[in-house]
Amino acid sequence: MARVLILTADAAEELDSMYPVFRLREGGHEAIVTAPTTRPVKLVVHDFEPGWDSYTEKPGHLLPVDLAFGEVDPEDYDALVIPGGRAPEYIRTDPDVARIVGHFFAGGLPVGTICHGPQVPAALGLLRGRTTAAYPPLKFDIELAGATFVDEPDVVDGAMVSCRGWPDLPLWSRAFMRVLEKASDRA
């Protein structure tokens, strides 16, 4: 089965992070969590409440981390998932994140992005000419990165699978698992 790297950090959205980890493991794949350090990351819960123009944020669970970004050899993995939340906003400037993410895009390997996750490949110039979903207020950021924004729950562009946020996870997960299994069949 596939070895899938989950790229995250503090303030990643809880469902965006934990749902893929559990779904991949349920499917018999190995989900390896990487973050800036090996201490558990502090996840947050984003919710949509009446009377708010944006989402609210509350503290969430801790997510154990297997490797620090600097310890990752991307050659050891078959796919990558970048959860949303606020983590992508600041990890996108990390040189090890650029090294890791660049490897998956250069190799045409499966990459899943959830909610704010596309901020990472966008900042690295990796979305140019691609089609992707993201949290809808990121539409202009996605377009400025040279991509086409699609407001859908499970956008597949080659080996990249994206969605708008945690409410889309069942459809996103189904699409990502299909892309992952197809890539595993070729390997």
Side-chain angles (χ1 to χ4, degrees), residues 5-117:
L5 196 61
I6 311 295
L7 189 77
T8 194
D10 284 339
E13 207 289 324
E14 183 168 289
L15 287 171
D16 290 2
S17 302
M18 290 188 152
Y19 190 107
V21 169
F22 294 147
R23 177 64 187 99
L24 287 161
R25 290 176 181 164
E26 174 194 20
H29 302 288
E30 189 177 356
I32 298 92
V33 177
T34 185
T37 69
T38 56
R39 71 158 173 73
V41 295
K42 297 170 181 100
L43 301 175
V44 296
V45 175
H46 287 160
D47 212 345
F48 303 94
E49 298 182 27
W52 285 76
D53 293 329
S54 183
Y55 52 83
T56 60
E57 182 174 286
K58 300 172 185 96
H61 287 89
L62 295 177
L63 179 64
V65 173
D66 301 301
L67 294 168
F69 294 153
E71 299 172 315
V72 172
D73 180 353
E75 294 281 339
D76 294 339
Y77 303 94
D78 304 299
L80 175 70
V81 173
I82 308 171
R86 287 185 294 111
E89 177 185 322
Y90 68 90
I91 66 171
R92 63 187 170 174
T93 62
D94 187 298
D96 284 311
V97 168
R99 173 181 60 82
I100 293 164
V101 176
H103 167 82
F104 289 94
F105 276 87
L109 298 169
V111 174
T113 62
I114 303 166
C115 197
H116 285 77

Side-chain angles (χ1 to χ4, degrees), residues 111-130:
V111 174
T113 62
I114 303 166
C115 197
H116 285 77
Q119 287 181 306
V120 175
L124 301 173
L126 300 171
L127 291 185
R128 189 168 316 287
R130 294 177 107 25

